[in-house]
Amino acid sequence: MTDISTQPARPENAFRKGALSWINKASSWLEALGFAWLTPLLKMAAGESPREQLPILRQVLLIPLFGIVMFVLAWAALAPTVQTSLGAIPGPLQVAEQAQNLWADHVREREKATAFYQRQDERNAKLIADGKKDKVKHRTYTGKPTYIDQILTSLITVALGFIIATIIAVPLGIASGLSKTFNGAINPLIQIFKPVSPLAWLPIVTMIISATYVNPVDWLSKSLVTSAVTVTLCSLWPTLINTALGVASVDKELMNVGKVLQLPTYKTITKLVLPSSLPLIFTGLRLSLGVGWMVLIAAEMLAQNPGLGKFVWDEFQNGSSQSLAKIMVAVLTIGIVGFMLDRLMFALQRAFTFSANR
């Protein structure tokens, strides 16, 4: 009689085990990116018991969806009861309609740009064929920026400001965490400047950029630099404070090992300090990015710099019957983009830090 335990595993069982192993490995990344609800669905698709996975699915997907649905229903019911100078507050359907219109405007503008460059290429090709190469000209399409263009502009601006803030805050935070003297010197400055509103920084930054950045390059306009520097001044503090806290919290015995081995300062920082303090550094980076995104919208509104903030202000000034719905589209966009940026930073935190619980 053949021993059942010695029989090779069935191909479908091996595939199921491999699929479940892959799903378990990917689950932490799905959670970090905001897709934790995919894990139970994938496990059920791989053959796991629905009885075990449905409670998890209810917790991570159905309950949040219920909250969103209740919010949308309350919004749809209450919005018509609030009257403004531009009419009733738009409901979800009106906002969705304006979102579609904004996307359609973007598509039409891109088609115009494509047609413009096509005509330019045909004209230049004809001039070259006629031996008039000296008359060939390459112009840039100067159509109005679309809603999608303004989202991209805001993302580029916040990325530039966040990078500058990180470059400044992380070294200062490391120095502050390693040296009590340095920490005592800059701590009063941190406490003074941390609460300053972006609306107070913006006029100062605008005047300084206008005086010092005299010959701006095409890809780095004054308005972009002004908004980015304002973001930097308001968003560097969470990273600086959390970096200093993380460095100061490094195990003293670990630091003593570095002294015994006579490690140079550079290696002490890169081999001992940074790996131990990365979780808190990334917490500071996540907070800084969130602060920077909020600050940017206010700065763009006040300075009328290109981006989502300017779009909101222009629609407010426009005062048409569709303006409120477009502003609400922008509000939802700002929230969704902010959530996506936070999830991206959380995923990077999981990639570069060792602790599983943060």
Side-chain angles (χ1 to χ4, degrees), residues 57-91:
L57 185 64
R58 182 176 64 249
Q59 187 66 34
V60 299
L61 178 62
L62 298 182
I63 292 177
L65 278 179
F66 176 77
I68 293 173
V69 169
M70 293 303 296
F71 168 76
V72 171
L73 291 176
W75 175 13
L78 296 176
T81 65
V82 181
Q83 296 292 328
T84 70
S85 58
L86 300 178
I89 295 292

PDB file of all heavy atoms in Angstrom, residues 57-91:
ATOM      1  N   LEU A  57     -12.159  41.631   5.708  1.00  0.00           N
ATOM      2  CA  LEU A  57     -12.623  42.475   4.603  1.00  0.00           C
ATOM      3  C   LEU A  57     -13.647  43.488   5.089  1.00  0.00           C
ATOM      4  O   LEU A  57     -13.635  44.649   4.654  1.00  0.00           O
ATOM      5  CB  LEU A  57     -13.226  41.588   3.511  1.00  0.00           C
ATOM      6  CG  LEU A  57     -13.651  42.302   2.219  1.00  0.00           C
ATOM      7  CD1 LEU A  57     -12.444  42.903   1.523  1.00  0.00           C
ATOM      8  CD2 LEU A  57     -14.384  41.332   1.295  1.00  0.00           C
ATOM      9  N   ARG A  58     -14.511  43.075   5.993  1.00  0.00           N
ATOM     10  CA  ARG A  58     -15.511  44.004   6.539  1.00  0.00           C
ATOM     11  C   ARG A  58     -14.831  45.150   7.278  1.00  0.00           C
ATOM     12  O   ARG A  58     -15.240  46.305   7.145  1.00  0.00           O
ATOM     13  CB  ARG A  58     -16.441  43.244   7.477  1.00  0.00           C
ATOM     14  CG  ARG A  58     -17.543  44.137   8.062  1.00  0.00           C
ATOM     15  CD  ARG A  58     -18.519  43.361   8.929  1.00  0.00           C
ATOM     16  NE  ARG A  58     -17.870  42.805  10.106  1.00  0.00           N
ATOM     17  CZ  ARG A  58     -17.670  41.512  10.309  1.00  0.00           C
ATOM     18  NH1 ARG A  58     -18.044  40.629   9.393  1.00  0.00           N
ATOM     19  NH2 ARG A  58     -17.087  41.076  11.410  1.00  0.00           N
ATOM     20  N   GLN A  59     -13.771  44.827   8.017  1.00  0.00           N
ATOM     21  CA  GLN A  59     -13.098  45.854   8.817  1.00  0.00           C
ATOM     22  C   GLN A  59     -12.333  46.846   7.953  1.00  0.00           C
ATOM     23  O   GLN A  59     -12.335  48.052   8.219  1.00  0.00           O
ATOM     24  CB  GLN A  59     -12.154  45.176   9.818  1.00  0.00           C
ATOM     25  CG  GLN A  59     -11.523  46.116  10.824  1.00  0.00           C
ATOM     26  CD  GLN A  59     -12.555  46.727  11.768  1.00  0.00           C
ATOM     27  OE1 GLN A  59     -13.537  46.064  12.120  1.00  0.00           O
ATOM     28  NE2 GLN A  59     -12.353  47.973  12.162  1.00  0.00           N
ATOM     29  N   VAL A  60     -11.648  46.357   6.909  1.00  0.00           N
ATOM     30  CA  VAL A  60     -10.752  47.229   6.132  1.00  0.00           C
ATOM     31  C   VAL A  60     -11.413  47.832   4.895  1.00  0.00           C
ATOM     32  O   VAL A  60     -10.881  48.784   4.322  1.00  0.00           O
ATOM     33  CB  VAL A  60      -9.472  46.465   5.703  1.00  0.00           C
ATOM     34  CG1 VAL A  60      -8.695  45.998   6.910  1.00  0.00           C
ATOM     35  CG2 VAL A  60      -9.800  45.284   4.791  1.00  0.00           C
ATOM     36  N   LEU A  61     -12.575  47.298   4.479  1.00  0.00           N
ATOM     37  CA  LEU A  61     -13.206  47.822   3.267  1.00  0.00           C
ATOM     38  C   LEU A  61     -14.657  48.225   3.491  1.00  0.00           C
ATOM     39  O   LEU A  61     -15.035  49.365   3.187  1.00  0.00           O
ATOM     40  CB  LEU A  61     -13.132  46.776   2.149  1.00  0.00           C
ATOM     41  CG  LEU A  61     -13.796  47.182   0.812  1.00  0.00           C
ATOM     42  CD1 LEU A  61     -13.102  48.414   0.232  1.00  0.00           C
ATOM     43  CD2 LEU A  61     -13.775  46.032  -0.172  1.00  0.00           C
ATOM     44  N   LEU A  62     -15.476  47.317   4.019  1.00  0.00           N
ATOM     45  CA  LEU A  62     -16.909  47.591   4.084  1.00  0.00           C
ATOM     46  C   LEU A  62     -17.238  48.708   5.069  1.00  0.00           C
ATOM     47  O   LEU A  62     -18.065  49.576   4.772  1.00  0.00           O
ATOM     48  CB  LEU A  62     -17.659  46.307   4.465  1.00  0.00           C
ATOM     49  CG  LEU A  62     -17.525  45.158   3.459  1.00  0.00           C
ATOM     50  CD1 LEU A  62     -18.355  43.965   3.907  1.00  0.00           C
ATOM     51  CD2 LEU A  62     -17.944  45.604   2.060  1.00  0.00           C
ATOM     52  N   ILE A  63     -16.598  48.704   6.241  1.00  0.00           N
ATOM     53  CA  ILE A  63     -16.868  49.764   7.215  1.00  0.00           C
ATOM     54  C   ILE A  63     -16.414  51.127   6.699  1.00  0.00           C
ATOM     55  O   ILE A  63     -17.177  52.104   6.783  1.00  0.00           O
ATOM     56  CB  ILE A  63     -16.223  49.414   8.568  1.00  0.00           C
ATOM     57  CG1 ILE A  63     -16.939  48.205   9.195  1.00  0.00           C
ATOM     58  CG2 ILE A  63     -16.271  50.605   9.525  1.00  0.00           C
ATOM     59  CD1 ILE A  63     -16.344  47.727  10.488  1.00  0.00           C
ATOM     60  N   PRO A  64     -15.171  51.271   6.146  1.00  0.00           N
ATOM     61  CA  PRO A  64     -14.812  52.574   5.550  1.00  0.00           C
ATOM     62  C   PRO A  64     -15.744  52.989   4.420  1.00  0.00           C
ATOM     63  O   PRO A  64     -16.101  54.173   4.312  1.00  0.00           O
ATOM     64  CB  PRO A  64     -13.380  52.342   5.034  1.00  0.00           C
ATOM     65  CG  PRO A  64     -12.846  51.252   5.907  1.00  0.00           C
ATOM     66  CD  PRO A  64     -14.013  50.357   6.179  1.00  0.00           C
ATOM     67  N   LEU A  65     -16.161  52.020   3.571  1.00  0.00           N
ATOM     68  CA  LEU A  65     -17.090  52.354   2.492  1.00  0.00           C
ATOM     69  C   LEU A  65     -18.431  52.823   3.049  1.00  0.00           C
ATOM     70  O   LEU A  65     -19.053  53.754   2.507  1.00  0.00           O
ATOM     71  CB  LEU A  65     -17.303  51.138   1.585  1.00  0.00           C
ATOM     72  CG  LEU A  65     -16.241  50.873   0.522  1.00  0.00           C
ATOM     73  CD1 LEU A  65     -16.595  49.629  -0.280  1.00  0.00           C
ATOM     74  CD2 LEU A  65     -16.074  52.068  -0.407  1.00  0.00           C
ATOM     75  N   PHE A  66     -18.869  52.191   4.132  1.00  0.00           N
ATOM     76  CA  PHE A  66     -20.120  52.616   4.765  1.00  0.00           C
ATOM     77  C   PHE A  66     -20.019  54.056   5.244  1.00  0.00           C
ATOM     78  O   PHE A  66     -20.951  54.855   5.065  1.00  0.00           O
ATOM     79  CB  PHE A  66     -20.440  51.676   5.933  1.00  0.00           C
ATOM     80  CG  PHE A  66     -21.655  52.081   6.710  1.00  0.00           C
ATOM     81  CD1 PHE A  66     -22.929  51.842   6.213  1.00  0.00           C
ATOM     82  CD2 PHE A  66     -21.522  52.716   7.943  1.00  0.00           C
ATOM     83  CE1 PHE A  66     -24.064  52.234   6.938  1.00  0.00           C
ATOM     84  CE2 PHE A  66     -22.645  53.103   8.662  1.00  0.00           C
ATOM     85  CZ  PHE A  66     -23.913  52.863   8.158  1.00  0.00           C
ATOM     86  N   GLY A  67     -18.865  54.403   5.854  1.00  0.00           N
ATOM     87  CA  GLY A  67     -18.668  55.774   6.310  1.00  0.00           C
ATOM     88  C   GLY A  67     -18.692  56.762   5.160  1.00  0.00           C
ATOM     89  O   GLY A  67     -19.305  57.842   5.257  1.00  0.00           O
ATOM     90  N   ILE A  68     -18.056  56.406   4.042  1.00  0.00           N
ATOM     91  CA  ILE A  68     -18.034  57.291   2.869  1.00  0.00           C
ATOM     92  C   ILE A  68     -19.433  57.453   2.298  1.00  0.00           C
ATOM     93  O   ILE A  68     -19.866  58.567   1.944  1.00  0.00           O
ATOM     94  CB  ILE A  68     -17.065  56.739   1.804  1.00  0.00           C
ATOM     95  CG1 ILE A  68     -15.630  56.808   2.325  1.00  0.00           C
ATOM     96  CG2 ILE A  68     -17.192  57.514   0.501  1.00  0.00           C
ATOM     97  CD1 ILE A  68     -14.610  56.127   1.419  1.00  0.00           C
ATOM     98  N   VAL A  69     -20.183  56.332   2.201  1.00  0.00           N
ATOM     99  CA  VAL A  69     -21.540  56.388   1.648  1.00  0.00           C
ATOM    100  C   VAL A  69     -22.435  57.259   2.520  1.00  0.00           C
ATOM    101  O   VAL A  69     -23.229  58.077   2.018  1.00  0.00           O
ATOM    102  CB  VAL A  69     -22.118  54.967   1.511  1.00  0.00           C
ATOM    103  CG1 VAL A  69     -23.614  55.020   1.201  1.00  0.00           C
ATOM    104  CG2 VAL A  69     -21.382  54.201   0.414  1.00  0.00           C
ATOM    105  N   MET A  70     -22.326  57.117   3.840  1.00  0.00           N
ATOM    106  CA  MET A  70     -23.141  57.932   4.744  1.00  0.00           C
ATOM    107  C   MET A  70     -22.801  59.416   4.603  1.00  0.00           C
ATOM    108  O   MET A  70     -23.695  60.275   4.639  1.00  0.00           O
ATOM    109  CB  MET A  70     -22.939  57.474   6.184  1.00  0.00           C
ATOM    110  CG  MET A  70     -23.479  56.083   6.486  1.00  0.00           C
ATOM    111  SD  MET A  70     -25.247  55.920   6.116  1.00  0.00           S
ATOM    112  CE  MET A  70     -25.942  57.074   7.299  1.00  0.00           C
ATOM    113  N   PHE A  71     -21.509  59.708   4.427  1.00  0.00           N
ATOM    114  CA  PHE A  71     -21.106  61.105   4.226  1.00  0.00           C
ATOM    115  C   PHE A  71     -21.703  61.659   2.934  1.00  0.00           C
ATOM    116  O   PHE A  71     -22.225  62.778   2.907  1.00  0.00           O
ATOM    117  CB  PHE A  71     -19.584  61.208   4.186  1.00  0.00           C
ATOM    118  CG  PHE A  71     -19.072  62.535   3.715  1.00  0.00           C
ATOM    119  CD1 PHE A  71     -19.089  63.640   4.546  1.00  0.00           C
ATOM    120  CD2 PHE A  71     -18.589  62.685   2.419  1.00  0.00           C
ATOM    121  CE1 PHE A  71     -18.644  64.875   4.104  1.00  0.00           C
ATOM    122  CE2 PHE A  71     -18.131  63.908   1.965  1.00  0.00           C
ATOM    123  CZ  PHE A  71     -18.163  65.009   2.810  1.00  0.00           C
ATOM    124  N   VAL A  72     -21.623  60.882   1.855  1.00  0.00           N
ATOM    125  CA  VAL A  72     -22.148  61.340   0.566  1.00  0.00           C
ATOM    126  C   VAL A  72     -23.657  61.545   0.645  1.00  0.00           C
ATOM    127  O   VAL A  72     -24.197  62.535   0.109  1.00  0.00           O
ATOM    128  CB  VAL A  72     -21.780  60.333  -0.550  1.00  0.00           C
ATOM    129  CG1 VAL A  72     -22.496  60.688  -1.847  1.00  0.00           C
ATOM    130  CG2 VAL A  72     -20.276  60.310  -0.777  1.00  0.00           C
ATOM    131  N   LEU A  73     -24.364  60.625   1.309  1.00  0.00           N
ATOM    132  CA  LEU A  73     -25.821  60.778   1.442  1.00  0.00           C
ATOM    133  C   LEU A  73     -26.178  62.014   2.259  1.00  0.00           C
ATOM    134  O   LEU A  73     -27.107  62.755   1.905  1.00  0.00           O
ATOM    135  CB  LEU A  73     -26.405  59.520   2.096  1.00  0.00           C
ATOM    136  CG  LEU A  73     -26.376  58.241   1.247  1.00  0.00           C
ATOM    137  CD1 LEU A  73     -26.898  57.054   2.049  1.00  0.00           C
ATOM    138  CD2 LEU A  73     -27.173  58.419  -0.036  1.00  0.00           C
ATOM    139  N   ALA A  74     -25.445  62.237   3.360  1.00  0.00           N
ATOM    140  CA  ALA A  74     -25.699  63.431   4.168  1.00  0.00           C
ATOM    141  C   ALA A  74     -25.396  64.700   3.373  1.00  0.00           C
ATOM    142  O   ALA A  74     -26.139  65.696   3.454  1.00  0.00           O
ATOM    143  CB  ALA A  74     -24.848  63.382   5.436  1.00  0.00           C
ATOM    144  N   TRP A  75     -24.323  64.659   2.601  1.00  0.00           N
ATOM    145  CA  TRP A  75     -23.957  65.789   1.745  1.00  0.00           C
ATOM    146  C   TRP A  75     -25.070  66.064   0.734  1.00  0.00           C
ATOM    147  O   TRP A  75     -25.500  67.215   0.553  1.00  0.00           O
ATOM    148  CB  TRP A  75     -22.631  65.467   1.068  1.00  0.00           C
ATOM    149  CG  TRP A  75     -22.149  66.452   0.055  1.00  0.00           C
ATOM    150  CD1 TRP A  75     -22.610  67.712  -0.172  1.00  0.00           C
ATOM    151  CD2 TRP A  75     -21.100  66.234  -0.905  1.00  0.00           C
ATOM    152  NE1 TRP A  75     -21.907  68.305  -1.205  1.00  0.00           N
ATOM    153  CE2 TRP A  75     -20.990  67.428  -1.666  1.00  0.00           C
ATOM    154  CE3 TRP A  75     -20.261  65.164  -1.176  1.00  0.00           C
ATOM    155  CZ2 TRP A  75     -20.049  67.548  -2.697  1.00  0.00           C
ATOM    156  CZ3 TRP A  75     -19.327  65.291  -2.199  1.00  0.00           C
ATOM    157  CH2 TRP A  75     -19.224  66.474  -2.941  1.00  0.00           C
ATOM    158  N   ALA A  76     -25.558  65.015   0.066  1.00  0.00           N
ATOM    159  CA  ALA A  76     -26.599  65.178  -0.952  1.00  0.00           C
ATOM    160  C   ALA A  76     -27.894  65.703  -0.338  1.00  0.00           C
ATOM    161  O   ALA A  76     -28.621  66.492  -0.961  1.00  0.00           O
ATOM    162  CB  ALA A  76     -26.851  63.841  -1.655  1.00  0.00           C
ATOM    163  N   ALA A  77     -28.183  65.295   0.894  1.00  0.00           N
ATOM    164  CA  ALA A  77     -29.435  65.724   1.525  1.00  0.00           C
ATOM    165  C   ALA A  77     -29.359  67.154   2.049  1.00  0.00           C
ATOM    166  O   ALA A  77     -30.334  67.908   1.957  1.00  0.00           O
ATOM    167  CB  ALA A  77     -29.781  64.758   2.668  1.00  0.00           C
ATOM    168  N   LEU A  78     -28.206  67.528   2.614  1.00  0.00           N
ATOM    169  CA  LEU A  78     -28.091  68.829   3.269  1.00  0.00           C
ATOM    170  C   LEU A  78     -27.673  69.950   2.321  1.00  0.00           C
ATOM    171  O   LEU A  78     -27.975  71.117   2.574  1.00  0.00           O
ATOM    172  CB  LEU A  78     -27.100  68.734   4.424  1.00  0.00           C
ATOM    173  CG  LEU A  78     -27.497  67.797   5.571  1.00  0.00           C
ATOM    174  CD1 LEU A  78     -26.375  67.713   6.600  1.00  0.00           C
ATOM    175  CD2 LEU A  78     -28.788  68.271   6.225  1.00  0.00           C
ATOM    176  N   ALA A  79     -26.924  69.613   1.250  1.00  0.00           N
ATOM    177  CA  ALA A  79     -26.390  70.649   0.362  1.00  0.00           C
ATOM    178  C   ALA A  79     -27.476  71.568  -0.202  1.00  0.00           C
ATOM    179  O   ALA A  79     -27.313  72.800  -0.186  1.00  0.00           O
ATOM    180  CB  ALA A  79     -25.590  70.003  -0.766  1.00  0.00           C
ATOM    181  N   PRO A  80     -28.615  71.056  -0.700  1.00  0.00           N
ATOM    182  CA  PRO A  80     -29.630  71.964  -1.272  1.00  0.00           C
ATOM    183  C   PRO A  80     -30.245  72.918  -0.255  1.00  0.00           C
ATOM    184  O   PRO A  80     -30.859  73.921  -0.641  1.00  0.00           O
ATOM    185  CB  PRO A  80     -30.699  70.994  -1.812  1.00  0.00           C
ATOM    186  CG  PRO A  80     -29.996  69.686  -1.964  1.00  0.00           C
ATOM    187  CD  PRO A  80     -28.999  69.645  -0.863  1.00  0.00           C
ATOM    188  N   THR A  81     -30.114  72.632   1.032  1.00  0.00           N
ATOM    189  CA  THR A  81     -30.727  73.488   2.059  1.00  0.00           C
ATOM    190  C   THR A  81     -29.871  74.705   2.401  1.00  0.00           C
ATOM    191  O   THR A  81     -30.341  75.596   3.103  1.00  0.00           O
ATOM    192  CB  THR A  81     -30.972  72.677   3.343  1.00  0.00           C
ATOM    193  OG1 THR A  81     -29.708  72.271   3.906  1.00  0.00           O
ATOM    194  CG2 THR A  81     -31.805  71.425   3.045  1.00  0.00           C
ATOM    195  N   VAL A  82     -28.623  74.715   1.924  1.00  0.00           N
ATOM    196  CA  VAL A  82     -27.716  75.829   2.220  1.00  0.00           C
ATOM    197  C   VAL A  82     -27.638  76.722   0.986  1.00  0.00           C
ATOM    198  O   VAL A  82     -27.088  76.320  -0.059  1.00  0.00           O
ATOM    199  CB  VAL A  82     -26.309  75.326   2.615  1.00  0.00           C
ATOM    200  CG1 VAL A  82     -25.398  76.513   2.943  1.00  0.00           C
ATOM    201  CG2 VAL A  82     -26.393  74.369   3.796  1.00  0.00           C
ATOM    202  N   GLN A  83     -28.175  77.927   1.092  1.00  0.00           N
ATOM    203  CA  GLN A  83     -28.193  78.867  -0.023  1.00  0.00           C
ATOM    204  C   GLN A  83     -27.076  79.903   0.138  1.00  0.00           C
ATOM    205  O   GLN A  83     -26.859  80.420   1.234  1.00  0.00           O
ATOM    206  CB  GLN A  83     -29.545  79.570  -0.110  1.00  0.00           C
ATOM    207  CG  GLN A  83     -30.703  78.646  -0.413  1.00  0.00           C
ATOM    208  CD  GLN A  83     -30.643  78.073  -1.817  1.00  0.00           C
ATOM    209  OE1 GLN A  83     -30.153  78.736  -2.753  1.00  0.00           O
ATOM    210  NE2 GLN A  83     -31.133  76.855  -1.981  1.00  0.00           N
ATOM    211  N   THR A  84     -26.375  80.185  -0.953  1.00  0.00           N
ATOM    212  CA  THR A  84     -25.325  81.195  -0.970  1.00  0.00           C
ATOM    213  C   THR A  84     -25.646  82.220  -2.054  1.00  0.00           C
ATOM    214  O   THR A  84     -26.678  82.121  -2.739  1.00  0.00           O
ATOM    215  CB  THR A  84     -23.954  80.549  -1.258  1.00  0.00           C
ATOM    216  OG1 THR A  84     -23.921  80.103  -2.620  1.00  0.00           O
ATOM    217  CG2 THR A  84     -23.700  79.363  -0.333  1.00  0.00           C
ATOM    218  N   SER A  85     -24.757  83.188  -2.209  1.00  0.00           N
ATOM    219  CA  SER A  85     -24.948  84.198  -3.246  1.00  0.00           C
ATOM    220  C   SER A  85     -24.858  83.606  -4.643  1.00  0.00           C
ATOM    221  O   SER A  85     -25.330  84.198  -5.612  1.00  0.00           O
ATOM    222  CB  SER A  85     -23.906  85.310  -3.098  1.00  0.00           C
ATOM    223  OG  SER A  85     -22.591  84.767  -3.184  1.00  0.00           O
ATOM    224  N   LEU A  86     -24.247  82.412  -4.748  1.00  0.00           N
ATOM    225  CA  LEU A  86     -24.128  81.741  -6.041  1.00  0.00           C
ATOM    226  C   LEU A  86     -25.142  80.614  -6.184  1.00  0.00           C
ATOM    227  O   LEU A  86     -25.066  79.832  -7.126  1.00  0.00           O
ATOM    228  CB  LEU A  86     -22.714  81.168  -6.205  1.00  0.00           C
ATOM    229  CG  LEU A  86     -21.569  82.180  -6.162  1.00  0.00           C
ATOM    230  CD1 LEU A  86     -20.230  81.474  -6.287  1.00  0.00           C
ATOM    231  CD2 LEU A  86     -21.737  83.213  -7.269  1.00  0.00           C
ATOM    232  N   GLY A  87     -26.083  80.518  -5.270  1.00  0.00           N
ATOM    233  CA  GLY A  87     -27.058  79.440  -5.317  1.00  0.00           C
ATOM    234  C   GLY A  87     -26.805  78.417  -4.226  1.00  0.00           C
ATOM    235  O   GLY A  87     -26.029  78.643  -3.301  1.00  0.00           O
ATOM    236  N   ALA A  88     -27.473  77.281  -4.338  1.00  0.00           N
ATOM    237  CA  ALA A  88     -27.340  76.227  -3.332  1.00  0.00           C
ATOM    238  C   ALA A  88     -25.967  75.578  -3.421  1.00  0.00           C
ATOM    239  O   ALA A  88     -25.317  75.559  -4.478  1.00  0.00           O
ATOM    240  CB  ALA A  88     -28.431  75.178  -3.527  1.00  0.00           C
ATOM    241  N   ILE A  89     -25.510  75.038  -2.285  1.00  0.00           N
ATOM    242  CA  ILE A  89     -24.257  74.278  -2.264  1.00  0.00           C
ATOM    243  C   ILE A  89     -24.399  73.080  -3.200  1.00  0.00           C
ATOM    244  O   ILE A  89     -25.391  72.348  -3.119  1.00  0.00           O
ATOM    245  CB  ILE A  89     -23.935  73.806  -0.830  1.00  0.00           C
ATOM    246  CG1 ILE A  89     -23.660  74.993   0.086  1.00  0.00           C
ATOM    247  CG2 ILE A  89     -22.753  72.841  -0.816  1.00  0.00           C
ATOM    248  CD1 ILE A  89     -22.393  75.741  -0.235  1.00  0.00           C
ATOM    249  N   PRO A  90     -23.457  72.851  -4.091  1.00  0.00           N
ATOM    250  CA  PRO A  90     -23.584  71.715  -5.023  1.00  0.00           C
ATOM    251  C   PRO A  90     -23.489  70.375  -4.310  1.00  0.00           C
ATOM    252  O   PRO A  90     -22.725  70.214  -3.359  1.00  0.00           O
ATOM    253  CB  PRO A  90     -22.398  71.918  -5.980  1.00  0.00           C
ATOM    254  CG  PRO A  90     -21.432  72.752  -5.227  1.00  0.00           C
ATOM    255  CD  PRO A  90     -22.247  73.636  -4.337  1.00  0.00           C
ATOM    256  N   GLY A  91     -24.278  69.429  -4.783  1.00  0.00           N
ATOM    257  CA  GLY A  91     -24.244  68.091  -4.238  1.00  0.00           C
ATOM    258  C   GLY A  91     -23.225  67.220  -4.950  1.00  0.00           C
ATOM    259  O   GLY A  91     -22.502  67.679  -5.856  1.00  0.00           O
TER     260      GLY A  91
END
